[in-house]
Amino acid sequence: MAVSLWKNLLQTTKERILQQRRMSLYNSAHGYDEELLKKKLQQFAGGSINLSKEDNGIGILTLNNPKLMNAFTGTMMVELQERVTELENWKDGKGLIIYGAGNTFCSGSDLNAVKGFNFVKTVLGPA
């Protein structure tokens, strides 16, 4: 019983540390307001990040923006962060396959979103 309690304590501590790290990614470490950053990124719409979780513990993450050769838009960046959080909390996960819809894995970032980052940096301040 003591071993079970110890394992639960370790798991809870690990989850708290992961949560703190995610929050500090935007807030503490870089001085960004996460919600404001998400709002600004979502102005650069298009594409999606799809996640399916198979019964065998394998996740399939699909970059879905084939019109732009799966280039990341702001919306996709926000969705990727959400899917990663979902995967971190998936207790039955064993592996992950990442691929791009259509014939291209990922061509990088949508240039409109990249140009917009200058606007985001101006509004939110430097990292």
Side-chain angles (χ1 to χ4, degrees):
M1 182 167 167
V3 172
S4 177
L5 289 172
W6 180 250
K7 286 182 179 179
N8 284 341
L9 177 63
L10 288 175
Q11 183 64 30
T12 301
T13 303
K14 178 183 169 187
E15 289 171 4
R16 285 184 185 154
I17 290 170
L18 285 172
Q19 181 64 28
Q20 288 171 351
R21 285 181 64 202
R22 278 193 297 277
M23 291 192 64
S24 71
L25 174 65
Y26 295 105
N27 299 336
S28 304
H30 299 291
Y32 293 139
D33 177 333
E34 183 176 1
E35 291 307 313
L36 180 58
L37 180 59
K38 283 181 179 181
K39 187 176 178 181
K40 295 296 179 188
L41 284 172
Q42 288 173 338
Q43 292 176 357
F44 305 101
S48 63
I49 303 291
N50 305 106
L51 175 63
S52 64
K53 297 181 215 171
E54 304 297 319
D55 292 336
N56 62 4
I58 302 299
I60 301 173
L61 189 84
T62 305
L63 310 178
N64 189 8
N65 194 7
K67 289 189 299 185
L68 296 176
M69 298 174 63
N70 297 321
F72 272 91
T73 63
T75 301
M76 289 173 69
M77 291 176 198
V78 171
E79 287 182 8
L80 180 62
Q81 188 265 336
E82 292 169 354
R83 301 302 170 262
V84 168
T85 299
E86 187 177 341
L87 286 166
E88 287 174 340
N89 295 318
W90 186 27
K91 303 292 184 210
D92 297 326
K94 297 176 185 174
L96 179 66
I97 299 170
I98 304 172
Y99 73 96
N103 296 323
T104 305
F105 174 66
C106 179
S107 63
S109 291
D110 179 358
L111 294 179
N112 291 321
V114 172
K115 288 178 194 174
F117 276 109
N118 287 328
F119 171 72
V120 171
K121 285 177 106 176
T122 302
V123 171
L124 299 176

